Amino acid sequence: MKRGMAIVLVAPSGAGKGTLIGKLLADFPQFKLSVSSTTRGAREGEEHGVHYFFLKKEEFKSKIEKGDFIEWALVHDNYYGTSRDLIDECVASGDVVLLDIDVQGTDNVKKLFGNDSYAIFVAPPSYEILEQRLRDRGTDEDEVIELRLKNARSEMKRKNDYDYLLVNDDLETAYAELKSVVEQAIKG
Ligand code: 5GP
């Protein structure tokens, strides 16, 4: 029987998690991607329902009350949450769902799904490189970058607390390692 599970990629902003997830989805087209909801504004090129469901704070709060999220957290001053439907369905039906969430969300997913979840911490090679990547990406205002850098320091303290620590120095090397770890995880 196929093994349904949640694979979580957790990392500070700028560690390259988004690119790694894109590569995984290309190599494992059977994987589903959990599209989170957030109260942060859409960045250029981001689409509602594809990158996130962009919600107003009141809409987000009403979903919390209805129990629509398996987990939600306040990250860099905005709310983010994972919808219950897709995750429950995938784990029950033997599908693999990929999650791109922060440390708080990952802790909750690990608690809820236990052995049916596998969490990979993606670390930048150094704090300086992380800062450089965030600035080069040019998607955020300086103030937002400062907040993300500050949060990165505390998130990095958690890097050894998950199932696997992946250091994203050279993208191709890191991806080859990630692919092999994921292949092992889904075999169980
Ligand atoms: P960004 O604003 O750069 O897209 O995401 C900021 C942070 O929020 C990232 O670490 C991302 O993984 C995290 N995040 C995105 N969606 C969720 C979610 O549904 N739950 C939690 N806990 N974190 C999320």
Side-chain angles (χ1 to χ4, degrees), residues 83-121:
S83 299
R84 176 177 302 284
D85 306 4
L86 180 71
I87 317 290
D88 281 352
E89 191 188 300
C90 285
V91 174
S93 65
D95 285 328
V96 173
V97 59
L98 289 180
L99 280 79
D100 168 350
I101 58 178
D102 85 322
V103 289
Q104 308 165 73
T106 307
D107 293 339
N108 286 327
V109 167
K110 290 295 302 176
K111 262 187 231 142
L112 285 169
F113 293 99
N115 288 338
D116 291 330
S117 62
Y118 191 86
I120 301 161
F121 191 99

Side-chain angles (χ1 to χ4, degrees), residues 52-186:
Y52 280 107
F53 293 102
F54 295 99
L55 305 180
K56 295 205 171 59
K57 215 180 231 177
E58 307 78 71
E59 293 172 312
F60 195 99
K61 288 193 168 162
S62 111
K63 279 184 171 288
I64 295 177
E65 272 158 32
K66 282 193 272 168
D68 287 356
F69 298 126
I70 53 158
E71 66 77 31
W72 62 270
L74 194 57
V75 190
H76 315 312
D77 289 346
N78 280 300
Y79 288 96
Y80 292 81
T82 305
S83 299
R84 176 177 302 284
D85 306 4
L86 180 71
I87 317 290
D88 281 352
E89 191 188 300
C90 285
V91 174
S93 65
D95 285 328
V96 173
V97 59
L98 289 180
L99 280 79
D100 168 350
I101 58 178
D102 85 322
V103 289
Q104 308 165 73
T106 307
D107 293 339
N108 286 327
V109 167
K110 290 295 302 176
K111 262 187 231 142
L112 285 169
F113 293 99
N115 288 338
D116 291 330
S117 62
Y118 191 86
I120 301 161
F121 191 99
V122 182
S126 71
Y127 187 77
E128 289 68 32
I129 292 179
L130 181 76
E131 176 163 9
Q132 197 56 50
R133 285 183 186 162
L134 274 179
R135 298 206 185 277
D136 290 351
R137 143 169 127 176
T139 47
D140 299 304
E141 306 289 328
D142 278 355
E143 210 174 279
V144 174
I145 293 180
E146 292 311 322
L147 178 61
R148 284 174 180 245
L149 285 170
K150 180 171 156 264
N151 292 341
R153 288 208 187 269
S154 55
E155 286 164 345
M156 284 297 284
K157 291 193 186 129
R158 301 289 320 277
K159 69 178 194 247
N160 291 308
D161 296 347
Y162 299 101
D163 298 304
Y164 196 83
L165 170 62
L166 178 77
V167 178
N168 186 9
D169 189 351
D170 170 68
L171 178 65
E172 292 311 320
T173 313
Y175 180 66
E177 189 179 335
L178 175 64
K179 191 175 172 194
S180 126
V181 168
V182 165
E183 274 163 353
Q184 287 305 314
I186 60 179

